[in-house]
Amino acid sequence: MDTIGNYLTLIRNACNVKKKYVKVNYSKINKNITKVLYKNNYIKKYKIYKKNKKNKIKIYLKYLNNNSVIRKIKRISKPSFRKYLKYKNIYKVLNGYGISIISTSSGVMTGKEAKFKKIGGEILCIIY
């Protein structure tokens, strides 16, 4: 089961139908990706809450002029094909208008942060 893939699909589908928020299952990786999205102004806010003894994340989506801020969200590294990059090979997404999310030994961060800290890792997804 691909938790990151499910997470990204739920956000993508919610943005396509212009939902105000989306509820996703809680996991550490989902929480960390959500923090990166919040820090980079792709979502308004998020809340972690408990429902029926299971943690969930409620993500409030951000819109400008009735269009979603998240135009495209794409999974890069998959369970069947992992993709790792050295810090020198981390590329800009849409010439710097988008972000890549990378899981490193120092935690989940954007590609720009990883390149600055000279840390490579697994590229999870790109967003613009």
Side-chain angles (χ1 to χ4, degrees):
M1 191 164 167
D2 183 18
T3 58
I4 300 171
N6 292 343
Y7 171 85
L8 297 176
T9 301
L10 286 169
I11 291 176
R12 185 182 315 113
N13 291 342
C15 287
N16 287 340
V17 294
K18 295 181 173 38
K19 288 221 171 192
K20 187 177 179 180
Y21 61 87
V22 63
K23 296 175 185 175
V24 296
N25 288 329
Y26 176 88
S27 70
K28 283 184 180 180
I29 192 79
N30 287 351
K31 179 186 79 169
N32 291 332
I33 293 172
T34 304
K35 283 182 179 179
V36 170
L37 290 176
Y38 179 72
K39 259 181 21 181
N40 289 283
N41 294 319
Y42 282 100
I43 59 174
K44 279 186 192 176
K45 61 182 178 177
Y46 65 94
K47 290 181 185 175
I48 298 171
Y49 67 96
K50 203 169 231 176
K51 184 177 182 182
N52 298 335
K53 297 182 181 178
K54 288 189 177 183
N55 286 337
K56 297 267 188 184
I57 305 172
K58 191 173 190 178
I59 301 169
Y60 292 88
L61 302 171
K62 191 173 188 179
Y63 296 93
L64 287 174
N65 298 331
N66 210 15
N67 292 322
S68 175
V69 172
I70 299 173
R71 302 266 185 220
K72 185 160 188 155
I73 188 164
K74 185 179 178 188
R75 179 92 155 109
I76 302 296
S77 183
K78 300 174 182 169
S80 59
F81 183 71
R82 302 279 185 195
K83 187 164 184 185
Y84 297 93
L85 294 175
K86 294 179 182 177
Y87 81 92
K88 293 177 185 176
N89 298 336
I90 296 173
Y91 51 89
K92 289 182 180 178
V93 177
L94 223 62
N95 286 331
Y97 286 106
I99 62 167
S100 57
I101 297 180
I102 298 178
S103 177
T104 68
S105 57
S106 298
V108 177
M109 59 184 74
T110 64
K112 190 175 181 180
E113 291 174 47
K115 198 167 190 168
F116 179 76
K117 293 180 180 179
K118 297 186 177 182
I119 305 171
E122 180 183 0
I123 181 164
L124 301 175
C125 61
I126 58 169
I127 299 166
Y128 55 88

